[in-house]
Amino acid sequence: FQIFNEKLIKNKKSLYKLRDDFAKYYNETRILNMPLDTYVLGKSHTDVKFHFCYTTERSLDRLGRIIGSKADKFGVYYGKTKSENDYKYRFTKKWGNSTEEVFNNIKHSIVDLIEAGKKRDLKALAKNKISPMFKGKILNVYYPEDYLNVFSDEHLDYFLVLFNLDNPKLIKSNSVYKRE
């Protein structure tokens, strides 16, 4: 088992470095000053070191998967929908009424999430409006030793059952508590 574990760590060494570099790069100031096109999926990002959503979802995929759910999990994105073929900024209404308002609220929520994660404030983490999968990925990127890299409720429920922790209260609870 130890040989397998050492090989796994060696194979993921570059991913661990990317994760650590990303978390250092996106400090509070850089997050709050981040331009919209550096955050959203659907826009090119050749002029920045890290694209926030692309890096968390795609580049760090092997450290926990959030690919497969809709882009609206990020709160705002650039793209089209099944019913509308034109490319434009699209956002989730829970964040506000304009792209600018939504993006500003999301940036503040990301900073709040990272701060609450550092303090292990589970109530604040659970109340944060960031989508559960994206929230879990951000927490795992910034605090990999403290937050599990399993993000879907279905998978969390599977592991709760597997480890005989599947009491009715926990199964119905927020994913933050399930991961804990």
Side-chain angles (χ1 to χ4, degrees):
F1 181 73
Q2 184 177 357
I3 294 170
F4 173 77
N5 198 25
E6 288 171 8
K7 188 175 180 180
L8 180 69
I9 289 169
K10 183 180 177 185
N11 287 341
K12 290 192 174 184
K13 191 173 185 177
S14 64
L15 281 171
Y16 297 148
K17 181 174 178 2
L18 175 64
R19 177 194 62 207
D20 295 345
D21 290 348
F22 175 87
K24 286 176 190 156
Y25 182 81
Y26 276 114
N27 59 33
E28 178 179 343
T29 302
R30 193 162 271 135
I31 291 169
L32 293 175
N33 292 308
M34 174 176 27
L36 179 61
D37 288 349
T38 302
Y39 177 80
V40 298
L41 287 180
K43 288 289 216 167
S44 63
H45 49 83
T46 56
D47 60 335
V48 295
K49 185 171 182 174
F50 296 108
H51 179 272
F52 198 90
C53 293
Y54 186 88
T55 302
T56 55
E57 182 182 55
R58 302 288 174 148
S59 301
L60 295 173
D61 180 55
R62 288 184 42 226
L63 295 180
R65 180 160 275 219
I66 62 171
I67 293 174
S69 61
K70 297 179 188 175
D72 65 357
K73 69 180 166 251
F74 300 117
V76 62
Y77 68 98
Y78 185 83
K80 60 182 185 172
T81 65
K82 289 180 182 177
S83 60
E84 293 182 40
N85 270 343
D86 56 322
Y87 282 83
K88 64 181 184 179
Y89 292 103
R90 300 181 184 277
F91 57 85
T92 308
K93 298 278 187 198
K94 74 178 183 180
W95 291 101
N97 297 312
S98 70
T99 303
E100 295 77 22
E101 177 186 10
V102 165
F103 185 50
N104 188 54
N105 289 338
I106 290 168
K107 290 189 293 187
H108 284 277
S109 286
I110 291 171
V111 169
D112 292 345
L113 181 74
I114 293 167
E115 286 301 313
K118 182 189 286 184
K119 297 175 190 170
R120 298 195 52 81
D121 183 345
L122 297 184
K123 283 185 181 181
L125 294 175
K127 287 170 70 172
N128 190 294
K129 291 191 327 184
I130 295 173
S131 68
M133 289 179 80
F134 191 37
K135 182 189 304 187
K137 182 71 177 231
I138 292 169
L139 289 169
N140 178 257
V141 165
Y142 280 82
Y143 310 107
E145 301 299 322
D146 297 328
Y147 295 97
L148 185 64
N149 63 340
V150 177
F151 308 118
S152 101
D153 246 8
E154 182 181 335
H155 293 144
L156 289 167
D157 290 347
Y158 169 81
F159 286 111
L160 289 173
V161 170
L162 183 70
F163 293 117
N164 200 28
L165 300 169
D166 57 325
N167 66 64
K169 183 179 179 184
L170 189 55
I171 289 292
K172 291 180 182 178
S173 71
N174 187 290
S175 59
V176 168
Y177 297 111
K178 290 179 183 184
R179 270 188 221 98
E180 187 65 23

